[in-house]
Amino acid sequence: MTTSILSRPIHPTGLWAWLTTIDHKRIGILYGVTAFIMFLSGGIEAMYIRLQLAAPEQELVSPEIYSQLFTMHGTTMIFLAIMPMGAAFFNYLIPLQIGARDVAFPRLNAFSYWTFLGGAVMLKSSWFLGGAPNAGWFGYAPITSSAYNPGHGIDFWILSLQILGIASLAAAFNFIVTIINLRAPGMSLMRMPIFTWMTFVTSILLILAFPVITVALIEVMFDRFFGTNFFNVGAGGQPLLWQHLFWVFGHPEVYILILPALGIIAEVIPTFSKKPLFGYPVVVLSGVVIGFMGWMVWSHHMFTVGLGPVANSVFAVTTMAIAVPTGVKIFNYIATMWKGSISLTTSMLYAIGFIFLFVIGGLSGVMHSSAASDAQQQDTYFIVAHLHYVLFGGSIMALGSGIYYWFPKMTGRLMDEKLGKLNFLLVFIGMNVTFFPMHFLGLDGMPRRIYTYDSDMGWNLWNAVSSVGYLILALGVLILIVNIIWSVLSGEKADGDPWDARTLEWSMSSPPPEYNFEHIPIVHGIDPYWEQKREGLSTVPISGGSGDDDSHGIHLPQPSYWPLLASLGLFVSGYGLVYLSSSIGLVVSIIGAAITMVAVYAWSFEPVNDPDEGEGH
Amino acid sequence: MIQMKAKVIKGARILQEAVTTQHGTDHEYTTTGLNHRKLLMWAFLGSDCMFFGSLIATYMVYYGKSKVGPFPEDLFSIPITSVSTFVLLMSSMSMVLAYAAIRKGSLKGFRVWILSTALMGMTFLAFQVFEFYEFANHEVHFDCSQVGTGNLSAFEESFQNECIEGVTTVDGIHDSDGNNLTGLTPKTNLFGTTFFTLTGFHGAHVTLGVIWLLSLFFYSFRGGVTRERDLDVDLAALYWHFVDIVWIVIFTVVYLFGVFPGFPES
Amino acid sequence: MWLMGYRIQSKYVVVMAFLFLLVFTGCTPSHHMSTFDTHGPVARSQLVLFYWIFWAAVFVFVTVSIALFYTVLKYRRRSGDPDPPQIHGHTKLEIAWTIIPSIILIVVAVPTVITIFDNANSPEPSALTIEAKGHQWWFEFTYPHPEEPDKKVVTANELHIPVDEVVNVNLESKDVIHSFWIPKIAGKVDMVPNHTNTIWIKADETGEYYGQCAEFCGVAHAKMKFRVIVQTKEQFEAWLKVQALPGLESADPLAVEGRNLFEGDARCWTCHKVEGSKRSRGTTGPNLTHFGSRNHLAAGVIENTQDNLRKWIQDPESIKQGTIMYRDAQVYTDPDKSLTESQVSALVAYLASLD
């Protein structure tokens, strides 16, 4: 019956267990660790940038290397650090929060991680294979065409983004189905934790936004590989088409980065205030509205390209309008703390820091939304300041909050609070010292993406301050690393519910058993575990009360080799395609594609569980 | 604490002895009652809509913007493409019949209809290959007396300089090596670039669909397709119908808009 | 508790005061590219709008921050606290904080839209129109010829305009996307291939202003600058008249030798144009007809002195890395053809004589 070429992997521990795992918790940890390493590598790229700009007219790196540095810094932080760090939390938490034993498609989940890893390694390897991409993370045509960019850097950029896109899509499909279909009985949509809600909205944005960048990248790739004319100016190609496609993807992408952060904050604040989230339906609705309106504002990245006053006015107004649901969320978070019983743990400090910094980033965002005044700000350091307040002050602060909050759940140990507070303080101060002066630099006329500046421009002081800020920030991150390693090894043991929290993931031991829930729980409200603890509304089903048929025991999907192999094939063919112009490249890309096809074929014929054990059904 | 440990051990034991269903996902409890895989397929099709939407948008942005020919009106043959469109539409119907057959448990009926669907898909692909070949080898033929009368297309008019003393008809334009210079390739102009990319990706989707249908056909001989597992067929059918619908849009936007006067000029 | 709250709040005021101090030390109008020192109506309208939104933002920021910190400090947990009241929401309050931001945004949106339209439409479409074209990595400016309508006057990297007059600029690009930005006179508009944009500018004081490419355009993007030289109408017209003349034929023997080199073995003529010369008709590089009259060279990077010019010709990489001249010209790519000291001196003499 079985068509498996390889027998089912059965290793419970060790390297093979991790390579073939389809346990969402292990995949979550893999995602998290990889993303954190990528975050550090993006930080090292930033270090070179800050060193180069610390003083005027420095020649630490050449202009060409500098272009590669800022391109890789942006691409790394967005696609390899913040997005997968969000994915790490999705993976680990969503099944726990909705009362499920795993995601809907565990093997697809494994495939998503390994594909992501392949894409990440491929992009980073470009540093050692003749030069990294150098056209900015936005890669505006026609500077990405072979005429202006003959090296392989752009090819690495295109193909690794395509591979990363496949990974993100696979994960997003999985979470959409998981959230719709695997909620425990009683968990209606309007009882889902906010983090789950935001994951759901993010996943929908992902599956709708990524195909657009896929097409845009295909167009550039065909231009480079096959001499098509998409962005060939001589044949009438329109560079602005790239910008439209890129930002139709790129703006939802911004919300893909920030909505999970808003979700994390909505979990942390109620727990440490001992109050339910203020205005739950409004917070859900505003998240959905943000996700929807994220599609109507893309041209605010293009206010200076000459779309005309009508388009600029429309996009200015829609952009301002998106501040309303964002503001609503912030007000609701503050109202949640109002009259609460707030304990200032590191996680909570990060959450409060998030609100403070995200408000600054949001307000400078409103400043650019005014297209006319944006004409002075566009492509200056004012934008760099804004985007770092949103992505660092927003996303990264929230992820930091999430790390401190869920770390005991994931490892069974608490993180050290003293180190934690020092870590928060340094990151918070470092972040402001690094990025706040960039507002001044921008308004003082310093353009983005310049590798050096003359000493008489008046930009010396604030650039130096900003570089000092980087050191403080780096020290803060270093303490975070120390704290994580120390806490994993010898942190204080945590029980299942160290924070007196509210949602289902805290109702089990820390770390959770492999099967998560012994019984699929029954949900009576928005904060099911809190209600169980305080009001005695038990989430444990009376025998036979849940959808899970206990007489069959606990069904857990089994590990598989195929997702890993399918990802490996994509990785191999990605390298082949970069060198497509040579015959070896062609052969390698065909071999890679063949590996993926065989793996996918074998995968689709491999039952979720080994049939030998299941014929009785 | 001890109790918790006991639970973990019990869980591990249960895990080892897990009694499982062969195709767990088909019969598992779900919140909505919808099957996971079906939901996944719908989500995928939504995503694929954005994929084709972006390709079609690119085509439309560049519609009529090519600086050199050949142009759509030089190449498209609506009758021929209508035939292949009709074949693809009919394949959707036979796909419906294949699904109906497996729902009734008629394996024989299923095999007949799924094979005919796949064959019609292949017919469509053959038409597409033929069409691509024809376009790439397009030649201009016209009578020099027609120059300037309005009977020639803009592309043909662009070769009026060929009508020198003593030349009455132009029969193809070739370079010194005899290569045809009037074919359409992805490199020729914006029309070639966008046309081949859009229809090529659709063709790739059809090819994938044909492989899927044939896999189901052959799998049915090994007992893999049964009435209980009609979902496998259902999913293939969903995909197939989607690819079919996308073609209707492409046929309208690319072929009909491209040829008939009065359709919107961009 | 209350007392502590007040004490912390006064600290907070100090922090806020410090932040404001920072904000104002950030506004340094004396700097070359400061957006706070406006010298034209377009930049001024953009700054007025900026201040308008800035103060609205400060208001929101202060309000939210006070609410945030007050809440955090007042409701800190003390040991033995019972569970706080489980408040799930307050509809009226939530409606209020949906509507109030909306009103603030309308206050911002109305002047925004007005300014967008004001700045988009030239008040005098028939005024002097200049073509500006971005190249990797320099700017080309084309003026209408003062006497003969079918001829053009081409110059590079220095844009002369008359004071107090509207000037329309058509923006184009030769290769990749660039952006045209003169911070003190007008916000930027991009130069996009196959997509001509227009911008109108007006300067209300004579002088020299900094301009820079603001869209990443490749390796030398940081050094793609230009200057705007605002002159009185008489000065401007005199300048344009001179620019419309062909390049001077100098009698200085060194300059003659330089010209022969320029139009001969050094092959400068393949890319550069000098009006009046039969040989030098290239258009890929800047037009050098009146090179000697320019204040800067290498696209606004250094002053146009004989020493700098010598350095530039000898080793362009030392002044601006990545130039196409250094990449393509055979005097740099072919070691056998590289220029000798005396050849460089001749070229410097020739170029300096072109004023």
Side-chain angles (χ1 to χ4, degrees):
Chain A
M1 169 62 217
T2 175
T3 48
S4 285
I5 303 165
L6 301 167
S7 59
R8 237 20 215 255
I10 43 160
H11 316 270
T13 53
L15 180 66
W16 276 108
W18 285 91
L19 288 178
T20 58
T21 188
I22 52 172
D23 177 1
H24 70 97
K25 296 181 288 298
R26 283 187 166 189
I27 292 170
I29 289 169
L30 286 173
Y31 252 118
V33 171
T34 315
F36 195 81
I37 293 169
M38 289 300 154
F39 172 70
L40 297 180
S41 85
I44 290 168
E45 283 149 4
M47 177 183 78
Y48 282 105
I49 294 175
R50 274 327 318 165
L51 280 174
Q52 167 80 4
L53 294 180
E57 294 163 50
Q58 292 209 103
E59 289 182 357
L60 182 74
V61 294
S62 72
E64 171 59 31
I65 295 292
Y66 188 84
S67 307
Q68 298 179 15
L69 281 169
F70 70 68
T71 303
M72 288 292 279
H73 171 70
T75 312
T76 300
M77 288 306 194
I78 288 166
F79 292 102
L80 306 184
I82 299 181
M83 271 178 77
M85 207 108 72
F89 284 113
F90 299 169
N91 267 292
Y92 203 96
L93 292 168
I94 295 302
L96 299 180
Q97 284 201 328
I98 63 175
R101 295 217 167 106
D102 207 318
V103 293
F105 300 98
R107 286 175 299 176
L108 189 63
N109 213 19
F111 170 75
S112 160
Y113 169 71
W114 295 112
T115 307
F116 155 68
L117 181 67
V121 169
M122 185 171 164
L123 182 65
K124 284 290 171 183
S125 72
S126 63
W127 277 118
F128 313 103
L129 295 171
N134 59 0
W137 87 279
F138 49 89
Y140 274 3
I143 206 171
T144 48
S145 65
S146 3
Y148 303 108
N149 225 324
H152 281 304
I154 299 294
D155 301 331
F156 273 105
W157 182 74
I158 292 170
L159 286 157
S160 56
L161 285 188
Q162 296 288 38
I163 291 175
L164 291 166
I166 292 170
S168 298
L169 283 172
F173 287 133
N174 210 343
F175 285 109
I176 288 176
V177 176
T178 304
I179 291 170
I180 292 180
N181 252 0
L182 279 177
R183 281 166 291 139
M187 181 170 281
S188 59
L189 285 177
M190 291 312 272
R191 282 180 184 169
M192 280 188 339
I194 294 289
F195 180 70
T196 304
W197 252 113
M198 292 307 114
T199 304
F200 185 55
V201 176
T202 303
S203 301
I204 290 174
L205 290 180
L206 269 166
I207 67 163
L208 297 179
F210 260 83
V212 183
I213 188 76
T214 304
V215 166
L217 288 168
I218 285 171
E219 291 175 356
V220 179
M221 189 170 94
F222 281 11
D223 274 6
R224 288 179 68 85
F225 290 0
F226 309 124
T228 55
N229 300 312
F230 286 107
F231 306 113
N232 177 359
V233 172
Q238 287 290 344
L240 288 189
L241 174 69
W242 166 269
Q243 294 195 17
H244 281 293
L245 291 174
F246 185 82
W247 291 116
V248 165
F249 149 79
H251 204 79
E253 170 72 16
V254 172
Y255 294 104
I256 289 167
L257 299 172
I258 201 66
L259 284 176
L262 288 163
I264 291 172
I265 298 303
E267 301 291 317
V268 170
I269 287 182
T271 295
F272 292 111
S273 307
K274 286 204 186 293
K275 272 184 66 197
L277 185 69
F278 190 88
Y280 172 91
V282 178
V283 175
V284 169
L285 185 71
S286 61
V288 174
V289 169
I290 290 172
F292 182 71
M293 287 179 63
W295 293 92
M296 302 190 289
V297 299
W298 81 89
S299 283
H300 70 214
H301 298 268
M302 301 165 63
F303 278 152
T304 62
V305 303
L307 297 177
V310 177
N312 279 359
S313 300
V314 169
F315 282 101
V317 171
T318 53
T319 305
M320 288 175 190
I322 213 165
V324 174
T326 316
V328 166
K329 273 187 182 281
I330 297 297
F331 298 138
N332 274 299
Y333 293 165
I334 296 175
T336 305
M337 291 189 271
W338 182 259
K339 290 195 173 169
S341 171
I342 300 169
S343 57
L344 291 178
T345 59
T346 309
S347 177
M348 186 64 170
L349 286 174
Y350 263 107
I352 294 164
F354 165 90
I355 294 180
F356 181 76
L357 299 173
F358 189 65
V359 166
I360 298 179
L363 289 170
S364 60
V366 173
M367 292 181 188
H368 321 310
S369 75
S370 172
S373 97
D374 181 61
Q376 290 283 23
Q377 297 155 11
Q378 169 77 336
D379 279 314
T380 69
Y381 264 81
F382 197 81
I383 300 282
V384 181
H386 159 72
L387 77 91
H388 283 95
Y389 267 84
V390 177
L391 292 184
F392 200 109
S395 301
I396 301 272
M397 293 303 274
L399 290 166
S401 175
I403 290 173
Y404 277 90
Y405 184 56
W406 280 298
F407 186 88
K409 180 50 61 186
M410 296 178 180
T411 61
R413 289 174 189 273
L414 290 162
M415 283 179 84
D416 187 79
E417 278 292 312
K418 273 200 187 112
L419 276 178
K421 277 169 185 157
L422 182 63
N423 155 232
F424 165 75
L425 207 66
L426 287 172
V427 168
F428 184 81
I429 294 172
M431 134 94 214
N432 282 292
V433 175
T434 309
F435 300 119
F436 205 82
M438 291 183 182
H439 289 110
F440 308 149
L441 288 171
L443 295 174
D444 212 7
M446 181 167 167
R448 291 174 82 173
R449 302 165 187 136
I450 56 170
Y451 71 94
T452 193
Y453 51 94
D454 291 343
S455 54
D456 66 343
M457 299 305 291
W459 302 331
N460 305 2
L461 171 67
W462 293 119
N463 270 306
V465 169
S466 174
S467 294
V468 169
Y470 177 88
L471 295 179
I472 303 173
L473 195 50
L475 193 64
V477 174
L478 196 69
I479 289 173
L480 175 63
I481 299 170
V482 171
N483 198 355
I484 288 175
I485 294 173
W486 185 84
S487 303
V488 167
L489 297 177
S490 50
E492 191 190 329
K493 285 259 194 304
D495 64 6
D497 182 24
W499 312 122
D500 191 14
R502 315 176 71 87
T503 39
L504 282 175
E505 73 266 31
W506 303 102
S507 69
M508 63 193 61
S509 62
S510 295
E514 193 181 347
Y515 50 85
N516 297 352
F517 296 91
E518 193 175 347
H519 302 276
I520 297 297
I522 288 186
V523 175
H524 301 283
I526 293 172
D527 293 320
Y529 188 50
W530 177 268
E531 283 146 18
Q532 177 178 335
K533 286 187 288 188
R534 294 298 199 277
E535 292 159 37
L537 288 169
S538 175
T539 58
V540 180
I542 311 154
S543 148
S546 82
D548 185 71
D549 191 346
D550 278 337
S551 64
H552 281 177
I554 295 176
H555 309 162
L556 272 189
Q558 294 175 333
S560 172
Y561 292 112
W562 302 120
L564 179 62
L565 262 178
S567 309
L568 184 74
L570 285 178
F571 180 64
V572 170
S573 74
Y575 274 100
L577 284 171
V578 167
Y579 298 101
L580 193 62
S581 50
S582 71
S583 52
I584 298 173
L586 185 66
V587 172
V588 170
S589 60
I590 291 170
I591 291 172
I595 295 173
T596 302
M597 275 181 66
V598 169
V600 168
Y601 223 74
W603 173 353
S604 51
F605 285 106
E606 180 186 63
V608 176
N609 301 97
D610 209 317
D612 300 341
E613 295 178 55
E615 288 297 357
H617 187 72
Chain B
M1 199 62 209
I2 295 166
Q3 205 182 358
M4 196 178 284
K5 231 175 201 164
K7 271 185 193 170
V8 174
I9 292 165
K10 186 180 152 212
R13 189 172 52 76
I14 294 171
L15 198 63
Q16 278 177 356
E17 296 168 3
V19 182
T20 54
T21 57
Q22 186 183 341
H23 299 289
T25 50
D26 282 16
H27 304 287
E28 231 167 40
Y29 161 81
T30 68
T31 316
T32 55
L34 288 170
N35 178 275
H36 290 336
R37 288 197 291 153
K38 192 146 186 181
L39 208 54
L40 178 78
M41 181 49 84
W42 278 109
F44 169 75
L45 295 183
S47 185
D48 222 17
C49 276
M50 292 300 285
F51 182 83
F52 277 110
S54 306
L55 283 173
I56 291 170
T58 303
Y59 182 87
M60 287 169 79
V61 165
Y62 284 151
Y63 176 62
K65 297 279 165 63
S66 293
K67 290 189 168 173
V68 294
F71 305 106
E73 64 270 21
D74 295 307
L75 302 176
F76 289 158
S77 161
I78 296 299
I80 292 177
T81 315
S82 299
V83 171
S84 73
T85 305
F86 180 74
V87 169
L88 195 62
L89 284 178
M90 285 302 106
S91 78
S92 255
M93 195 173 82
S94 83
M95 187 73 239
V96 170
L97 293 172
Y99 180 60
I102 200 69
R103 288 273 297 216
K104 277 187 276 175
S106 160
L107 206 54
K108 204 174 156 194
F110 165 76
R111 285 177 189 145
V112 168
W113 289 118
I114 198 96
L115 189 64
S116 74
T117 311
L119 285 176
M120 281 192 261
M122 286 190 274
T123 311
F124 173 82
L125 288 172
F127 266 98
Q128 196 167 31
V129 170
F130 166 77
E131 193 177 49
F132 281 14
Y133 178 82
E134 280 290 297
F135 291 180
N137 293 295
H138 175 73
E139 294 194 346
V140 286
H141 299 281
F142 60 87
D143 201 318
C144 281
S145 62
Q146 297 291 312
V147 168
T149 58
N151 293 335
L152 296 183
S153 74
F155 185 50
E156 286 161 339
E157 287 281 358
S158 71
F159 294 103
Q160 56 177 279
N161 290 344
E162 300 286 326
C163 293
I164 45 173
E165 277 285 319
V167 177
T168 53
T169 56
V170 171
D171 280 315
I173 312 290
H174 299 91
D175 67 7
S176 52
D177 296 333
N179 295 318
N180 174 30
L181 293 178
T182 53
L184 183 77
T185 71
K187 294 180 182 183
T188 309
N189 54 17
L190 288 173
F191 167 57
T193 294
T194 51
F195 171 80
F196 284 112
T197 307
L198 172 57
T199 53
F201 271 104
H202 181 265
H205 274 70
V206 176
T207 310
L208 211 68
V210 168
I211 293 172
W212 192 349
L213 298 176
L214 289 178
S215 300
L216 283 173
F217 175 72
F218 289 117
Y219 201 38
S220 76
F221 290 100
R222 302 172 57 186
V225 182
T226 60
R227 188 178 188 171
E228 290 70 38
R229 303 199 53 207
D230 61 352
L231 184 74
D232 289 347
V233 182
D234 194 11
L235 294 178
L238 257 179
Y239 176 81
W240 192 257
H241 295 317
F242 170 78
V243 170
D244 210 356
I245 291 167
V246 170
W247 180 254
I248 292 172
V249 176
I250 293 176
F251 182 65
T252 311
V253 170
V254 175
Y255 289 84
L256 296 183
F257 283 16
V259 166
F260 289 114
F263 275 105
E265 285 279 340
S266 79
Chain C
M1 178 65 214
W2 274 104
L3 199 68
M4 194 190 84
Y6 276 123
R7 190 165 52 81
I8 305 264
Q9 270 190 27
S10 62
K11 248 190 212 167
Y12 177 62
V13 169
V14 173
V15 171
M16 285 303 300
F18 179 66
L19 278 180
F20 275 108
L21 194 72
L22 278 182
V23 169
F24 287 107
T25 50
C27 312
T28 33
S30 60
H31 293 163
H32 297 311
M33 293 187 40
S34 172
T35 57
F36 293 102
D37 177 33
T38 61
H39 286 272
V42 178
R44 197 168 306 113
S45 71
Q46 289 161 341
L47 183 64
V48 167
L49 192 58
F50 171 80
Y51 277 133
W52 183 248
I53 304 168
F54 175 75
W55 289 114
V58 166
F59 169 73
V60 174
F61 173 70
V62 170
T63 314
V64 175
S65 301
I66 289 175
L68 176 67
F69 287 107
Y70 178 78
T71 310
V72 170
L73 295 172
K74 179 159 162 60
Y75 297 108
R76 283 190 67 170
R77 184 182 305 172
R78 282 153 303 171
S79 56
D81 270 355
D83 281 351
Q86 301 291 299
I87 308 163
H88 283 274
H90 188 288
T91 311
K92 276 182 194 158
L93 208 55
E94 288 167 57
I95 291 173
W97 64 50
T98 311
I99 289 175
I100 294 170
S102 308
I103 293 170
I104 296 176
L105 287 170
I106 291 170
V107 169
V108 171
V110 171
T112 293
V113 173
I114 292 170
T115 315
I116 290 173
F117 277 90
D118 280 353
N119 290 351
N121 302 323
S122 171
E124 291 171 41
S126 58
L128 171 67
T129 300
I130 301 166
E131 316 280 330
K133 195 173 219 178
H135 296 252
Q136 278 182 328
W137 290 274
W138 57 281
F139 291 89
E140 179 177 80
F141 301 116
T142 306
Y143 292 76
H145 197 282
E147 278 124 26
E148 300 163 63
D150 55 333
K151 285 175 95 176
K152 301 278 180 198
V153 175
V154 184
T155 178
N157 299 326
E158 279 172 20
L159 180 70
H160 289 246
I161 56 170
V163 73
D164 284 328
E165 279 190 36
V166 170
V167 175
N168 302 310
V169 188
N170 292 338
L171 305 172
E172 288 163 18
S173 169
K174 175 77 196 319
D175 34 49
V176 300
I177 299 176
H178 302 278
S179 192
F180 180 85
W181 185 31
I182 317 153
K184 296 194 178 191
I185 295 178
K188 61 193 75 62
V189 175
D190 293 354
M191 309 172 111
V192 185
N194 276 354
H195 179 97
T196 301
N197 284 322
T198 57
I199 182 177
W200 69 274
I201 53 177
K202 184 174 171 182
D204 45 25
E205 201 178 328
T206 56
E208 194 178 288
Y209 300 95
Y210 275 63
Q212 168 130 19
C213 173
E215 183 62 83
F216 178 68
C217 55
V219 68
H221 163 62
K223 299 203 167 174
M224 181 170 167
K225 308 178 185 186
F226 65 104
R227 295 289 192 287
V228 178
I229 295 160
V230 182
Q231 297 167 303
T232 62
K233 195 166 173 61
E234 298 72 39
Q235 283 171 333
F236 170 75
E237 277 167 0
W239 171 84
L240 189 59
K241 205 168 260 174
V242 171
Q243 295 290 311
L245 298 171
L248 284 177
E249 295 280 325
S250 171
D252 173 24
L254 195 60
V256 171
E257 190 195 329
R259 193 190 70 210
N260 291 337
L261 204 54
F262 192 94
E263 296 179 354
D265 292 345
R267 298 180 67 82
C268 310
W269 55 272
T270 52
C271 297
H272 293 288
K273 189 169 196 171
V274 177
E275 293 294 346
S277 159
K278 286 212 172 70
R279 198 74 195 273
S280 304
R281 314 295 297 167
T283 53
T284 35
N287 184 312
L288 300 176
T289 309
H290 295 280
F291 175 79
S293 71
R294 294 180 199 157
N295 298 341
H296 293 85
L297 59 82
V301 173
I302 47 168
E303 273 181 60
N304 187 5
T305 63
Q306 296 233 352
D307 281 348
N308 284 339
L309 181 56
R310 163 176 290 278
K311 229 196 287 177
W312 172 243
I313 294 172
Q314 235 159 9
D315 183 10
E317 288 285 278
S318 68
I319 288 165
K320 182 168 170 178
Q321 285 190 55
T323 58
I324 289 175
M325 176 165 80
Y326 185 75
R327 190 191 71 193
D328 289 351
Q330 65 170 21
V331 293
Y332 304 112
T333 56
D334 186 346
D336 298 336
K337 306 245 165 87
S338 56
L339 297 165
T340 64
E341 285 282 328
S342 61
Q343 284 176 320
V344 174
S345 304
L347 282 172
V348 169
Y350 171 58
L351 288 171
S353 75
L354 290 171
D355 56 0

